Amino acid sequence: MKKVALCVAMLFLMAVFSAPASAKVVMNLGWQTADDSAYGELVTIFSGLVDEYTGGEVVVKRRCCGQIGGEEDGFKSLQIGIVDGFIITMNNVSPHYPLMDVFVLPYIFNSLEHASQVLEGPIGDRFRDQLYAKTGVYLLSYNAVEPRDMYNTKRPIRSMDDMKGLKLRVPKNKIMIRTFQAFGAEPVPLAWSEMSTALQTGTVEGGDNGTFVIRSQKFFDLADNLTVLDHFTSFSPLFCSKRFLGKLTDAQREAVIKAGRDAGRIHRANMLKKIEECRTYLEANGMKITRPDRTPFIEAARKLQDEILSKRSAEFREIVDQIRASSGSKTDA
């Protein structure tokens, strides 16, 4: 009996002392680019803050390189609750939540600083609340804003005329497809996972991505020409599922949300300082950089904006009006 009692006591003590470890909540956080990409840097910042703010009660598990799926399906996985967290480029959110297309419009922002001001202000807060109410997916952080730079294997782009006939890979987003058409190119809608192979085989002759993605994916080994137009201001929000938030205590939930906001601000500040440095790196690795006069591109983009606005909801037009007003410009449509 004494031996049995001793065993029971030992098991009890083991359960007590192992309880904190087993009580930890794990957040499986996925993204599709490389672990050492800008997304990976964000996750490093975010996971460190989560650990600090929750006292180690919530642990972020890194799932880079498409381990838990791709961006095209990531948002739906968050809605269903089979994924805890995912970083998804904004244009891949639009098929699931069309209002995101507001931010996809070409030249909707005057500058990266203007984009940051909008996203971190009342417009961004309202958008976050609306998205969660309608989809059950919570936007933890808008993250860094950066331009999508063009690259191609055929020729330097010095004017809009040089865009004619170029087969450029475009995400499966209608606004991005129509933007490249307005610029004179031949857009080829293609999943991100197929891009490298398509570029190597000539199925496409180029595309556009965030400056840091071009570097981390080593597209400088595949394409010689880089074009700086600042036509799209891109960001890739960090999202989490309603199911994941439901696993957390009130204090943990508040800490994770705070970690998301703070990580986004830190990451954004870091990246803003490095964009030109990244372009210099691409040039040093063989890419020829051109910076065409943006005037004809902006004119084409504005016509496209107004055309799109005439066919979108009042809610869509209202957000665009707010963004334009914040930059001193007003809707003509």
Side-chain angles (χ1 to χ4, degrees):
M1 286 296 292
K2 286 183 179 180
K3 287 184 178 180
V4 172
L6 181 60
C7 288
V8 171
M10 289 178 66
L11 288 171
F12 175 76
L13 288 171
M14 289 172 63
V16 169
F17 286 110
S18 65
S22 61
K24 288 183 179 180
V25 180
V26 175
M27 179 186 191
N28 283 288
L29 175 51
W31 69 98
Q32 203 165 352
T33 58
D35 190 53
D36 61 353
S37 65
Y39 292 1
E41 182 175 333
L42 168 71
V43 175
T44 297
I45 299 168
F46 174 66
S47 60
L49 292 177
V50 168
D51 183 66
E52 177 186 343
Y53 295 169
T54 67
E57 294 177 1
V58 179
V59 178
V60 177
K61 193 162 187 178
R62 305 170 71 96
R63 299 288 193 180
C64 76
C65 318
Q67 289 179 43
I68 56 175
E71 287 195 18
E72 289 84 358
D73 302 319
F75 197 85
K76 181 58 69 177
S77 297
L78 288 164
Q79 285 184 293
I80 297 170
I82 60 175
V83 169
D84 297 328
F86 217 106
I87 300 172
I88 307 174
T89 309
M90 59 185 190
N91 49 270
N92 287 323
V93 176
S94 299
H96 311 282
Y97 189 64
L99 275 186
M100 186 63 82
D101 268 341
V102 165
F103 304 123
V104 180
L105 290 168
Y107 292 112
I108 186 62
F109 299 114
N110 288 347
S111 64
L112 297 179
E113 290 75 17
H114 178 219
S116 295
Q117 169 200 327
V118 168
L119 298 175
E120 288 303 317
I123 297 172
D125 288 342
R126 283 195 297 272
F127 185 87
R128 176 188 282 109
D129 293 341
Q130 291 170 337
L131 178 120
Y132 186 59
K134 293 183 179 180
T135 68
V137 175
Y138 190 80
L139 193 156
L140 284 168
S141 174
Y142 286 101
N143 301 330
V145 290
E146 61 176 313
R148 287 180 75 100
D149 288 344
M150 288 186 196
Y151 49 94
N152 81 86
T153 60
K154 290 297 179 182
R155 55 183 174 268
I157 305 299
R158 296 189 175 90
S159 71
M160 191 178 282
D161 287 342
D162 294 323
M163 296 284 293
K164 289 179 181 177
L166 271 182
K167 294 186 294 182
L168 300 179
R169 177 264 173 181
V170 184
K172 296 175 183 179
N173 178 282
K174 291 180 181 178
I175 287 180
M176 299 183 83
I177 292 169
R178 293 181 67 187
T179 297
F180 277 121
Q181 289 172 337
F183 290 171
E186 294 183 13
V188 180
L190 199 66
W192 168 248
S193 58
E194 301 173 42
M195 178 55 187
S196 291
T197 301
L199 197 57
Q200 292 177 71
T201 59
T203 303
V204 298
E205 297 163 338
D208 76 334
N209 287 105
T211 311
F212 300 104
V213 173
I214 295 172
R215 175 175 176 167
S216 65
Q217 298 302 120
K218 298 185 178 179
F219 284 146
F220 51 81
D221 285 336
L222 302 176
D224 294 332
N225 304 292
L226 186 76
T227 307
V228 176
L229 276 175
D230 298 328
H231 53 298
F232 292 129
T233 299
S234 181
F235 56 91
S236 302
L238 166 57
F239 297 98
C240 71
S241 68
K242 187 175 183 178
R243 183 173 180 270
F244 169 73
L245 290 177
K247 296 178 182 179
L248 306 177
T249 65
D250 290 345
Q252 289 170 343
R253 190 178 305 113
E254 184 179 339
V256 169
I257 289 173
K258 184 177 187 303
R261 299 281 184 101
D262 290 351
R265 292 188 187 104
I266 294 168
H267 189 241
R268 183 160 43 256
N270 289 347
M271 293 297 102
L272 277 172
K273 297 174 183 176
K274 296 179 180 179
I275 290 171
E276 285 304 325
E277 177 186 315
C278 186
R279 286 169 174 161
T280 299
Y281 176 91
L282 295 174
E283 188 172 31
N285 280 269
M287 298 188 97
K288 303 178 189 72
I289 299 180
T290 55
R291 300 174 188 260
D293 177 8
R294 295 188 300 167
T295 303
F297 293 93
I298 292 173
E299 290 173 354
R302 187 54 184 259
K303 288 179 184 177
L304 179 59
Q305 279 189 28
D306 290 340
E307 180 187 335
I308 290 169
L309 285 175
S310 69
K311 300 174 184 177
R312 291 294 184 117
S313 68
E315 190 177 20
F316 190 100
R317 293 195 298 272
E318 181 183 1
I319 299 174
V320 172
D321 275 339
Q322 291 169 352
I323 294 173
R324 286 180 170 180
S326 72
S327 66
S329 119
K330 295 183 180 178
T331 304
D332 296 329

